Amino acid sequence: MSTMAWKLRGVEPASRSAVSRRWTILFCIACFCAGMLFSDRMWSVPEIKGISRTTRVDGDNLKLESGCDPSNDVEQESTDVYGEVSKTHHAIQTLDKTISNLEMELAAAKAAQESILNGSPVAGDLKISESTKKRKYLMVVGINTAFSSRKRRDSVRTTWMPQGDKRKKLEEEKGIVVRFVIGHSATSGGILDRAVEAEDKRHGDIMRLDHVEGYLELSAKTKIFFATAVTSWDAEFYVKVDDDVHVNIGTLGATLARHRSKPRVYIGCMKSGPVLAQKGVRYHEPEYWKFGEEGNKYFRHATGQLYAISRDLATYISINQHVLHKYVNEDVSLGSWLLGLDVEHIDDRRLCCGTPPDCEWKAQAGNVCVASFDWTCSGICKSAERIKEVHRRCGEGENALWSAVF
């Protein structure tokens, strides 16, 4: 038994040793093959792995050296993206504005051409040279007047409206055009028209419109004035003022110049008066029913004594003049034409100061008024006689005009 056991013990270690050697050799061969296979895969894409690992290591080193959190990089990238988006948005807005301006200019040119082709009479002021057309002006001031207002016109000429060479200097040096605005009589070529033609020949400051004069036609006259002025002078602003209002031209120019960066601006003394339904009263509104129940007020609009609109708005009126509705009150009409547009309304109370002592006190306080008149008369009461006194006490002074920089 002991001999058998010994033999068995001797055989068992030998067999185990042989098995072990075989498995060891097989294991080594398998490892060698696996190593070769792995080596082949590694050598087939050395560049990609190298770049990937190098980039990762470099990125980690950069983070360690800078001490920055990875989230900061994300925030920086977001800021850069937002900045680029903002720049792109601004560029698109600028391009849209340029295209809009070109479209407006093209439409205005077409409207002017159609007017000429249709045989509409051309006023003397429209027969201007090419150099005048190319000239850029700050503002065109149209003084609304009538055939019966010769004394008012003369009083304006002797007070706030420069004459002769000074008026030409005002246009050339300051870019300010000032004209009396009047149409034609019902009997064109009659005594009234001849009188105005003689007056214009003497002073050269009257702008004739293709319009039949009449108190109930003020809305149509205002529309035609803007359409005519915008095709005659390339200005930044177009101003309408009544002939019984005192105006400080230099102060008006400085006031408008503050808003020259705004494309669509409507400047005046904004109000919202009652809609008068009763017949026979002044400022009666025949279409009162359009504004709701009796006792309602108008929408906010500039008072008619003086207001200004920017070039884009004057061009809009010129292009669409045939479809713009006319209410009996011209200031309401203008307000309605602009109500549905993207327009900035600016309420500036210096455009509606009272006559002395109101405008005088303001001038002494350093707040010179743009325009002065009496609300009770919708202008200066007895302006032909009183405007000189208003000018003496409330005028800005001639030096203020010529030294002004717009």
Side-chain angles (χ1 to χ4, degrees):
M1 278 297 291
S2 60
T3 304
M4 183 64 70
W6 178 256
K7 287 181 179 179
L8 289 174
R9 284 185 195 139
V11 172
E12 186 177 356
S15 66
R16 284 184 181 177
S17 176
V19 172
S20 253
R21 280 198 297 270
R22 273 195 216 119
W23 280 112
T24 300
I25 293 170
L26 289 174
F27 181 76
C28 288
I29 294 171
C31 287
F32 176 78
C33 293
M36 290 297 293
L37 180 63
F38 185 76
S39 298
D40 288 341
R41 291 178 59 86
M42 288 291 292
W43 284 106
S44 64
V45 286
E47 294 181 3
I48 297 177
K49 291 293 181 179
I51 292 173
S52 176
R53 293 183 63 181
T54 303
T55 305
R56 188 178 299 111
V57 171
D58 290 345
D60 293 338
N61 291 340
L62 181 61
K63 291 173 186 175
L64 291 172
E65 289 174 4
S66 62
C68 294
D69 192 311
S71 62
N72 291 338
D73 294 338
V74 175
E75 291 177 2
Q76 182 63 38
E77 288 182 12
S78 299
T79 303
D80 293 341
V81 170
Y82 289 142
E84 291 300 320
V85 171
S86 178
K87 290 178 182 178
T88 303
H89 182 64
H90 178 72
I92 292 173
Q93 284 184 325
T94 302
L95 182 60
D96 286 343
K97 181 180 177 181
T98 302
I99 293 173
S100 177
N101 289 338
L102 291 174
E103 288 176 344
M104 294 284 275
E105 290 177 5
L106 178 60
K110 287 182 178 179
Q113 184 181 23
E114 289 176 2
S115 178
I116 294 172
L117 292 176
N118 291 334
S120 300
V122 181
D125 279 323
L126 295 182
K127 300 173 184 178
I128 51 183
S129 64
E130 288 298 322
S131 60
T132 304
K133 289 181 181 179
K134 295 178 181 178
R135 168 71 191 274
K136 300 289 185 180
Y137 295 89
L138 172 64
M139 63 181 180
V140 175
V141 181
I143 307 172
N144 183 38
T145 191
F147 289 112
S148 60
S149 300
R150 174 61 188 268
K151 290 184 177 180
R152 287 185 179 181
R153 291 193 292 275
D154 286 340
S155 67
V156 170
R157 290 185 179 112
T158 57
T159 53
W160 60 268
M161 180 181 180
Q163 291 295 295
D165 292 338
K166 289 184 178 180
R167 183 169 59 81
K168 294 179 181 179
K169 181 182 177 182
L170 185 67
E171 295 179 11
E172 295 172 359
E173 295 186 5
K174 302 300 180 182
I176 298 175
V177 177
V178 185
R179 295 286 191 277
F180 289 105
V181 179
I182 193 168
H184 298 271
S185 64
T187 55
S188 183
I191 188 172
L192 295 176
D193 291 309
R194 292 199 300 271
V196 169
E197 289 170 3
E199 184 180 346
D200 185 36
K201 188 175 181 179
R202 178 182 178 183
H203 298 282
D205 58 4
I206 296 179
M207 176 183 179
R208 302 301 297 275
L209 301 178
D210 181 21
H211 166 75
V212 177
E213 287 291 321
Y215 179 75
L216 297 179
E217 296 298 326
L218 290 178
S219 293
K221 184 177 182 180
T222 300
K223 185 195 300 183
I224 295 171
F225 159 65
F226 285 123
T228 305
V230 79
T231 56
S232 304
W233 295 279
D234 183 8
E236 296 181 75
F237 297 96
Y238 298 85
V239 184
K240 178 264 176 181
V241 59
D242 290 339
D243 62 3
D244 56 352
V245 173
H246 179 269
V247 180
N248 284 316
I249 290 290
T251 306
L252 174 60
T255 300
L256 297 183
R258 298 190 191 102
H259 305 288
R260 67 197 325 166
S261 62
K262 304 169 183 177
R264 294 173 299 278
V265 63
Y266 174 32
I267 306 171
C269 288
M270 301 295 166
K271 66 174 184 177
S272 180
V275 181
L276 301 179
Q278 184 180 353
K279 292 183 178 180
V281 300
R282 193 178 186 186
Y283 306 126
H284 164 62
E285 178 58 72
E287 297 181 272
Y288 63 89
W289 58 273
K290 289 186 177 180
F291 299 92
E293 302 299 327
E294 291 189 26
N296 280 1
K297 290 186 176 182
Y298 287 113
F299 41 79
R300 191 71 61 178
H301 62 281
T303 185
Q305 284 80 3
L306 186 149
Y307 49 73
I309 59 175
S310 56
R311 182 179 184 276
D312 280 4
L313 298 182
T315 304
Y316 170 82
I317 292 173
S318 175
I319 295 170
N320 300 284
Q321 57 181 306
H322 301 298
V323 295
L324 295 177
H325 185 69
K326 302 184 296 294
Y327 292 100
V328 69
N329 299 305
E330 55 97 8
D331 52 354
V332 172
S333 294
L334 178 66
S336 70
W337 301 338
L338 306 181
L339 188 62
L341 305 181
D342 184 15
V343 176
E344 181 175 354
H345 290 55
I346 296 179
D347 182 21
D348 193 331
R349 309 315 290 185
R350 292 179 304 162
L351 274 65
C352 54
C353 295
T355 53
D358 180 43
C359 58
E360 187 175 22
W361 290 342
K362 291 176 180 177
Q364 291 173 355
N367 189 24
V368 179
C369 292
V370 172
S372 302
F373 57 88
D374 300 308
W375 283 103
T376 55
C377 299
S378 297
I380 298 175
C381 299
K382 298 180 180 179
S383 64
E385 294 81 22
R386 293 184 58 235
I387 197 170
K388 289 184 179 179
E389 178 68 11
V390 175
H391 183 67
R392 184 182 67 82
R393 299 173 64 178
C394 299
E396 62 190 351
E398 190 171 355
N399 291 334
L401 172 60
W402 299 115
S403 62
V405 178
F406 306 120

